[in-house]
Amino acid sequence: MQSLESVSRADLDRLSNSRIFFGHQSVGYDLMEGVASILNRRGDLRLNVVESDAPQTFGEPVWAHARVGQNRDPVSKIHAFRTVLEGGAGDKVDVAFFKFCFVDVKRGTDVEALFEAYRSHLESLKARFPRVQFVHVTVPLMTCPQSFASRVKRRIKTWLGRTDERAEDNLSRCRYNRLLVKEYAGKDPIFDLALIESQSPDGRRAGCAYRGEEVSSLAREYSRDGGHLNEQGQVHAAEQLLVLLAGIRGNDGSAPSELPQAPERR
């Protein structure tokens, strides 16, 4: 993953002069806490960060963020994000994105239907606001038990045909994320939060094999409660978000190959 130290001064200045809207819930606040920590350490990076979704907020360079929708109701987040943009923000912002939470996608979620709802609304917004660069965000993950005893217990449950709830939930999130990456890779910027969360500080990928699929999970080093990010996780994810946003040139006809992409999935 790219370090923020490697980002050019020109790209950092471009980021500081952008108008950005980010819709989220609790893990989004974790990301913004990470951004605040980075800004406190780096006096050369100045961002006007405010919590607001009011159209008048975007009359100057700003990174505005706000709650959208309700947790456990992902479609409400799609509609809330659309309402913000159609309420005036879409005519002013340079970059816009929102994210689902891990509680929005879990076992039993119809991931294909949810992704189609997301895709259709985003394509409609892209057509209505062609100058806005939309960023797509993968669904964050939860931790999975990593002890030997836990792995044995998971295998026994699988042999007996029982459900491992945490692995099953992450499996649905991974399936949704694969749909999103397949659809937008090479077209729009992707902030692959799930991939970033799953890469431990030592470079290993957190996850497990479940029902014949590789299922990524949140690295325990980054978690404070199994789903939300601790301080280390906040800074780790926020740095990658800043790197991606600094690389966006704007939706001005740039070739897809010039758009910032998510790190390669393995």
Side-chain angles (χ1 to χ4, degrees), residues 80-93:
F81 177 70
R82 181 165 192 153
T83 296
V84 172
L85 294 180
E86 292 180 338
D91 296 318
K92 299 179 179 181
V93 298

Side-chain angles (χ1 to χ4, degrees), residues 11 19-20 46 50 52 57 63 98 100 104 118 128 142-143 148-149 161 171 180 195-196 209 212 220 244 253:
D11 283 348
R19 294 167 171 83
I20 300 168
R46 295 178 174 83
V50 300
S52 174
T57 304
W63 183 345
F98 79 100
F100 293 129
D104 296 324
Y118 172 86
R128 178 164 180 177
M142 297 190 74
T143 58
F148 176 75
L171 177 59
L180 185 141
L195 178 63
I196 292 163
R220 300 177 71 82
L244 181 132

Side-chain angles (χ1 to χ4, degrees), residues 174-263:
C174 289
R175 286 173 172 169
Y176 179 91
N177 292 340
R178 286 195 289 268
L179 290 173
L180 185 141
V181 171
K182 181 179 179 181
E183 176 70 23
Y184 292 108
K187 299 178 184 177
D188 297 325
I190 299 171
F191 179 55
D192 199 339
L193 177 56
L195 178 63
I196 292 163
E197 285 187 330
S198 70
Q199 292 190 330
S200 301
D202 63 6
R204 291 182 296 176
R205 181 75 59 81
C208 64
Y210 183 71
R211 299 196 186 281
E213 296 187 45
E214 288 297 320
V215 180
S216 297
S217 63
L218 170 61
R220 300 177 71 82
E221 295 92 335
Y222 300 140
S223 174
R224 58 184 164 89
D225 61 3
H228 296 94
L229 300 174
N230 59 22
E231 184 176 356
Q232 182 180 9
Q234 290 170 1
V235 172
H236 168 66
E239 179 177 18
Q240 295 308 308
L241 179 56
L242 287 166
V243 167
L244 181 132
L245 293 175
I248 292 176
R249 300 295 191 273
N251 196 6
D252 56 1
S254 301
S257 61
E258 297 175 310
L259 293 172
Q261 297 301 316

